Amino acid sequence: MRLADLQIKDVVNIKDGKRLGRIIDAEIDNKGQISYFVVEQKKLFRFFSSNLEVNITFNQIVKIGEDVILVEL
């Protein structure tokens, strides 16, 4: 699976069912392995708040489906 394939999926927290956003980047370590994914949280009112980023590790990913990535935060 390519990073571009993951970037089109919504990331959802299974604890509260909230949509976190979409993957915008991945952090790669010196060994060439992905350390974590960067998920951009979009806010409804962009004028008053900035976009926040959340780091998701492989341990936090529960399931990667066709349309969503389920995580446990």
Side-chain angles (χ1 to χ4, degrees), residues 8-69:
I8 60 173
K9 299 176 188 290
D10 290 327
V11 179
V12 176
N13 187 359
I14 62 170
K15 285 194 174 183
D16 58 8
K18 289 186 181 179
R19 180 183 175 273
L20 299 176
R22 292 197 173 167
I23 294 174
I24 58 168
D25 203 359
E27 179 70 26
I28 300 174
D29 64 11
N30 294 337
K31 297 177 185 176
Q33 297 178 347
I34 295 175
S35 301
Y36 58 85
F37 294 107
V38 180
V39 176
E40 182 180 36
Q41 292 182 313
K42 300 220 181 219
K43 296 295 180 183
L44 185 59
F45 300 103
R46 293 182 122 182
F47 300 112
F48 302 113
S49 63
S50 61
N51 291 339
L52 302 173
E53 294 179 352
V54 176
N55 297 333
I56 306 290
T57 63
F58 278 107
N59 296 338
Q60 295 171 314
I61 296 175
V62 176
K63 174 95 173 159
I64 299 176
E66 289 187 33
D67 298 326
V68 297
I69 301 171

